[in-house]
Amino acid sequence: MPTPEIWFLTGSQHLYGPETLRQVAANSTEIAASLGVTFKPVLTDSDAIRAICLDANADPNCAGVILWMHTFSPAKMWIGGLTQLKKPVLHLHTQFNRDLPWSSIDMDFMNLNQAAHGDREAGHLHVRLGLARAIAVGHWSNPRVRDRIERWARVAYGWQALQATKICRFGDNMRQVSVTEGDKVSAEMKFGFSVNGFGLGDLVAVMNDVSESEVSSLIQEYDELYDIADELRNDRRSSLEDAARQEIAIRRFLEAGGFTGFTTTFEDLHGLNQLPGLACQRLMADGYGFGAEGDWKTAALLRFMKVVANGEGTSFMEDYTYHLDPDRPLVLGAHMLEICPSIANNRPRMEIHPLGIGGKADPVRLVFDAPPGPAINASLIDLGHRFRLIVSEVDAVDVPAMPKLPVARAVWKVKPDFESGIAGWIRAGGAHHTVFSYGVTAADLRDFAEIAGIECVVIGEGTRYDDLVNELRWNEVAFRA
């Protein structure tokens, strides 16, 4: 996962004299060091502000900037810089001291510590400029403030990674399906990631060059990480070797092309003996984005969320079927094969079973249960004229025993309740493919949507269905421009 820099930009002005500016710089340096971000010299005029914003744009290691007005910093001198700035922004409203020294406070102290109205001056200009930004309020030592900054920084890292994301589509998408379609040109313009297709013959050619020693070495790795079914060690070993060969070839193909995400489809498998299942699971565990049936939008969203979650607890998912007990309705989430073991609650078991679609040999897959805990499902959809991000907050529960269902799976309760949550998802146009994550929150995805300039619809504990319907109507007007 990438670990670029966040720049810390402090606003002041020359009005207060060199001694005050030296103290401003010392205080800002201490805050930046404590937050683990990169201090930049205090900004006191429009030329310096414009220069640092252009430097941030040009530096590939800068993922975003934090703005803080230590003193009053006249906002007009920020116009030239902020109108050029292309990196994500967090406005930190804090001050160096936590407590006021009531018995000794004087005008020198007041002139030095003016963020209370300096940041209001900045905020007014941000509104005038229509600047996309997150806002964190409180003392910089407060754990809640630090967590807010850290989570925003992870989103900024994910946004930076998305700009360089390349999605490889092996074949096209599933025929006659609506939600996996979309405008790839508009997506690249809005989010930065690119999507291109390749024939299965290109992948098969790479598979043909995989050596037996490479396959044997990878199977040894499997043996260390998973419980392997006896039949895969004996009479079905050739299927395991074929699955390993697929993983080596797909990984090699992606690395050679600089891809960080990919898609497959069961309707385009010419030259492959089995639908890739194990390979998709393990590549997701290594941080790659993935979408089944050619779903490139979900593959890109998964790659972004993998970066935000630092690779952990995040997977491709699908709402597969329901448990409609009126007292405790639940969703069973799974897919044919491709659920990421980063969400496994137990040591995965490697198994082989028939697959009723695709017309190929029985595929190898990892079987496991997901753990209980708060999580989200997210879907990025193309409405034709714009994109919408939909987020459903859920509570994963213990997975009941399902000895005859040989796939990885999760089970969850929908918030605020089953009827409102599901009806809201359908009303908003949420896809059947999602990204399921324990490590990314709805607030993180709101920050992402703010950076990208797209609509974000969150269905959670406080959602009322009628209010959601109105929100969707209002958003159609607000985001159509």
Side-chain angles (χ1 to χ4, degrees):
M1 297 294 110
T3 53
E5 294 179 344
I6 299 295
W7 289 8
F8 193 78
L9 309 185
T10 308
S12 189
Q13 59 176 321
H14 288 291
L15 177 67
Y16 308 111
E19 183 178 347
T20 296
L21 290 178
R22 282 193 293 272
Q23 190 61 53
V24 167
N27 293 351
S28 297
T29 300
E30 183 174 339
I31 294 175
S34 176
L35 296 176
V37 297
T38 303
F39 170 77
K40 293 294 179 178
V42 175
L43 300 165
T44 56
D45 61 67
S46 57
D47 289 341
I49 293 168
R50 188 173 189 277
I52 199 70
C53 290
L54 294 176
D55 287 347
N57 291 342
D59 192 330
N61 202 43
C62 175
V65 300
I66 295 175
L67 307 179
W68 173 46
M69 306 304 119
H70 191 309
T71 66
F72 194 83
S73 182
K76 284 178 63 178
M77 68 186 187
W78 287 81
I79 294 174
L82 294 182
T83 53
Q84 298 298 314
L85 185 62
K86 305 298 183 184
K87 296 297 176 83
V89 173
L90 181 138
H91 185 189
L92 174 59
H93 185 46
T94 191
Q95 59 190 32
F96 182 71
N97 57 293
R98 193 195 72 171
D99 303 326
L100 287 177
W102 301 108
S103 62
S104 62
I105 189 170
D106 56 17
M107 285 309 301
D108 288 338
F109 184 95
M110 297 277 277
N111 283 334
L112 176 63
N113 299 282
Q114 296 191 59
H117 68 291
D119 278 325
R120 283 171 169 78
E121 165 78 353
H124 169 75
L125 179 71
H126 298 168
V127 172
R128 288 288 303 271
L129 295 177
L131 181 69
R133 78 277 191 204
I135 301 173
V137 177
H139 194 257
W140 51 274
S141 68
N142 188 308
R144 291 194 302 273
V145 175
R146 298 172 76 89
D147 181 69
R148 176 73 180 98
I149 295 169
E150 171 62 23
R151 297 209 68 93
W152 169 83
R154 296 301 318 176
V155 173
Y157 298 161
W159 177 253
Q160 185 184 51
L162 201 59
Q163 309 311 294
T165 291
K166 297 167 62 178
I167 303 296
C168 168
R169 299 180 79 213
F170 292 116
D172 205 346
N173 54 288
M174 182 180 174
R175 303 178 192 110
Q176 303 297 328
V177 175
S178 170
V179 76
T180 52
E181 297 284 0
D183 187 339
K184 302 180 189 70
V185 174
S186 293
E188 188 165 352
M189 292 167 60
K190 176 60 71 173
F191 303 105
F193 65 83
S194 64
V195 183
N196 287 287
F198 294 85
L200 266 292
D202 297 328
L203 176 59
V204 171
V206 178
M207 285 182 61
N208 291 337
D209 287 337
V210 175
S211 69
E212 294 301 321
S213 62
E214 290 176 298
V215 171
S216 296
S217 178
L218 184 55
I219 291 176
Q220 288 180 2
E221 181 179 328
Y222 294 165
D223 200 41
E224 295 173 359
L225 297 174
Y226 316 117
D227 294 332
I228 301 178
D230 289 341
E231 57 188 329
L232 286 172
R233 298 182 184 277
N234 299 306
D235 57 318
R236 306 297 298 274
R237 183 176 173 84
S238 62
S239 296
L240 179 58
E241 291 171 345
D242 188 62
R245 188 172 290 106
Q246 284 185 345
E247 179 186 338
I248 294 167
I250 294 174
R251 188 183 299 273
R252 187 168 295 167
F253 193 102
L254 298 178
E255 289 175 350
F259 298 106
T260 51
F262 68 107
T263 69
T264 62
T265 176
F266 66 88
E267 289 183 327
D268 194 348
L269 297 174
H270 184 70
L272 301 182
N273 293 329
Q274 59 180 282
L275 173 64
L278 177 63
C280 299
Q281 292 179 293
R282 282 178 45 82
L283 285 161
M284 277 190 284
D286 285 343
Y288 284 90
F290 171 77
E293 288 103 50
D295 191 348
W296 52 271
K297 295 186 295 297
T298 300
L301 182 61
L302 176 56
R303 169 59 183 168
F304 165 79
M305 290 174 64
K306 282 283 188 181
V307 175
V308 176
N310 202 29
E312 299 179 356
T314 303
S315 176
F316 175 79
M317 187 59 73
E318 179 173 282
D319 293 53
Y320 223 102
T321 190
Y322 297 138
H323 177 67
L324 292 177
D325 178 349
D327 296 325
R328 193 172 183 256
L330 299 170
V331 178
L332 170 58
H335 205 255
M336 294 180 292
L337 305 172
E338 311 96 333
I339 302 299
C340 178
S342 70
I343 67 167
N345 196 30
N346 52 303
R347 180 177 167 93
R349 178 174 170 79
M350 187 177 292
E351 301 180 8
I352 182 169
H353 298 276
L355 183 66
I357 59 177
K360 293 291 183 175
D362 300 346
V364 179
R365 81 290 301 273
L366 297 174
V367 178
F368 54 83
D369 296 334
I376 62 168
N377 271 306
S379 171
L380 179 64
I381 64 170
D382 186 343
L383 295 174
H385 58 292
R386 62 187 179 88
F387 294 92
R388 172 183 286 163
L389 180 64
I390 307 163
V391 185
S392 173
E393 296 181 317
V394 304
D395 283 322
V397 301
D398 289 320
V399 176
M402 291 179 278
K404 294 185 177 181
L405 183 65
V407 294
R409 55 279 179 112
V411 177
W412 60 80
K413 295 190 298 183
V414 176
K415 293 182 177 182
D417 57 76
F418 185 84
E419 292 82 2
S420 300
I422 300 299
W425 185 270
I426 292 174
R427 182 77 184 216
H432 59 284
H433 290 164
T434 65
V435 179
F436 178 84
S437 180
Y438 296 95
V440 181
T441 67
D444 297 334
L445 293 185
R446 285 191 187 277
D447 282 343
F448 166 58
E450 177 76 9
I451 293 169
I454 64 170
E455 176 188 11
C456 182
V457 177
V458 176
I459 304 170
E461 192 64 55
T463 298
R464 294 182 66 254
Y465 179 74
D466 291 343
D467 292 342
L468 176 64
V469 171
N470 283 331
E471 179 185 345
L472 294 170
R473 289 172 176 152
W474 299 332
N475 286 356
E476 188 62 32
V477 176
F479 286 92
R480 183 174 287 274

